[in-house]
Amino acid sequence: GLVFLITCKERLNSRGSLVPVYRFVHPVVQHCLASRHVHSTWGEERCPVKRVEELVVSANYQPLMPFYAEQRTDSVTLHLSSFSEAEARAVAALLARSPKFTGLTFAPAGIGQNFVAFQLLISALACNTQLQKLDLTQNGLGSLGAQKLQQALEKHPTLQELCICNNHIGCAGAAHVAELLKLNTTITALDLAENSIGNQGMMSLLQGLAANSVLQWLSLQHNHIGPECEDNIWETMDLVDMGSATRLLDARSNRRGLSEKFTTRKISPPPAAEGALPPLPSSRRMLRTTL
């Protein structure tokens, strides 16, 4: 049916500036027009919204997100410290509709304690094709959360940086991350610090690392990994063909006796002095230095 304009006038906002006020019979039209006003005045004093996060956390602005997401033409990065079901729906709308949504950070937001909101996020991530950075630091995801992330991100076409440090994923979660590494071909940086994966989780993770030739940086700090894994790590690093790239494993602050740094960068032997014996063959010509 027809949609009729009821009123259109200006009023003073909280900063003393005049802003247009529209009233329509159908709220969808109201939300669409309001989002157009926000987009057209973005960065100006008369714009009622100063940060994209306000469209997510404010109940007044959340209905505008689906429309605003389609109109935004420059890169969008969200930094959120809370995550309710309503906020999850707004983020899902941005993930689904914005062609420029490249970064999402929840650090911390208690995502692991809100199953419905987390499931909405997972469903949106599985359908997204633009996100480049995802930071879920300290959100209590656990091993189940790691499994859900694996299923959502294993075929993601653009994600480059993933941070899930301090989420208590344990050795079971590390196994799910290993499966993610086997299938994902875009992630180049992964932060797994402070997840208590231990030796068992490290051994599972090595299976994923052996099948992955894209990951360049991996943080394993504070994971209770012992020197028993040392040789297995070096052998796995030997197996991977990274081409011209380099893979770095940061293993600081684990159990005593484990090297702090592992890298695939080969060391070229120095030229032999005239008359010197040739060097003994070695299968582990790696750079093994502390950070």
Side-chain angles (χ1 to χ4, degrees):
L2 296 176
V3 179
F4 296 95
L5 176 66
I6 296 179
T7 60
C8 178
K9 60 182 180 180
E10 290 186 334
R11 70 174 183 183
L12 291 174
N13 63 9
S14 59
R15 291 184 290 274
S17 301
L18 289 174
V19 294
V21 179
Y22 301 93
R23 290 292 181 269
F24 286 87
V25 172
H26 201 293
V28 172
V29 180
Q30 171 87 8
H31 299 154
C32 181
L33 190 58
S35 68
R36 289 180 59 185
H37 172 70
V38 170
H39 177 68
S40 63
T41 61
W42 189 262
E44 300 178 11
E45 179 64 27
R46 60 197 180 106
C47 182
V49 180
K50 298 304 179 185
R51 301 170 64 243
V52 179
E53 288 78 4
E54 293 179 45
L55 296 173
V56 176
V57 301
S58 172
N60 293 329
Y61 294 136
Q62 284 168 355
L64 308 187
M65 181 58 83
F67 306 99
Y68 177 80
E70 294 177 344
Q71 298 172 42
R72 187 74 182 249
T73 57
D74 55 338
S75 296
V76 181
T77 300
L78 281 182
H79 299 268
L80 300 173
S81 57
S82 61
F83 199 60
S84 65
E85 186 175 340
E87 291 167 350
R89 295 187 187 280
V91 171
L94 189 57
L95 280 167
R97 301 192 181 206
S98 174
K100 296 292 184 178
F101 188 16
T102 58
L104 180 58
T105 297
F106 295 99
I111 295 176
Q113 285 72 52
N114 191 330
F115 179 79
V116 175
F118 182 50
Q119 192 60 50
L120 287 169
L121 175 63
I122 290 299
S123 299
L125 287 172
C127 300
N128 176 265
T129 58
Q130 292 89 29
L131 195 66
Q132 297 177 17
K133 180 180 179 180
L134 178 61
D135 186 349
L136 298 173
T137 297
Q138 197 176 344
N139 274 284
L141 299 181
S143 59
L144 178 59
Q147 181 183 18
K148 295 291 185 180
L149 279 177
Q150 172 220 325
Q151 296 168 350
L153 302 176
E154 58 188 18
K155 296 183 179 179
H156 198 285
T158 59
L159 187 65
Q160 299 175 14
E161 300 178 29
L162 176 61
C163 180
I164 52 175
C165 65
N166 198 4
N167 271 289
H168 313 290
I169 68 172
C171 60
H176 294 302
V177 175
E179 293 300 313
L180 171 63
L181 292 175
K182 290 178 183 178
L183 297 170
N184 183 274
T185 59
T186 61
I187 297 176
T188 58
L190 176 60
D191 193 343
L192 291 179
E194 300 182 85
N195 273 298
S196 303
I197 69 173
N199 288 355
Q200 184 179 348
M202 185 70 240
M203 296 306 292
S204 297
L205 199 59
L206 289 177
Q207 298 178 30
L209 291 172
N212 181 291
S213 60
V214 179
L215 188 70
Q216 298 179 21
W217 181 83
L218 171 62
S219 176
L220 296 171
Q221 296 184 42
H222 300 279
N223 268 296
H224 310 297
I225 303 169
E228 299 84 0
C229 297
E230 177 95 7
D231 288 340
N232 296 96
I233 296 175
W234 284 114
E235 289 171 6
T236 301
M237 300 291 277
D238 257 333
L239 290 173
V240 181
D241 182 8
M242 297 288 295
S244 60
T246 299
R247 173 173 292 171
L248 172 66
L249 270 64
D250 183 354
R252 289 177 291 176
S253 303
N254 280 283
R255 289 167 54 194
R256 183 176 299 178
L258 183 72
S259 295
E260 294 186 342
K261 180 179 179 181
F262 299 85
T263 177
T264 55
R265 179 174 295 172
K266 300 288 193 303
I267 298 178
S268 300
E274 186 176 352
L277 294 174
L280 294 174
S282 172
S283 62
R284 195 185 300 162
R285 289 163 56 186
M286 299 288 184
L287 178 64
R288 302 181 68 175
T289 58
T290 56
L291 295 178

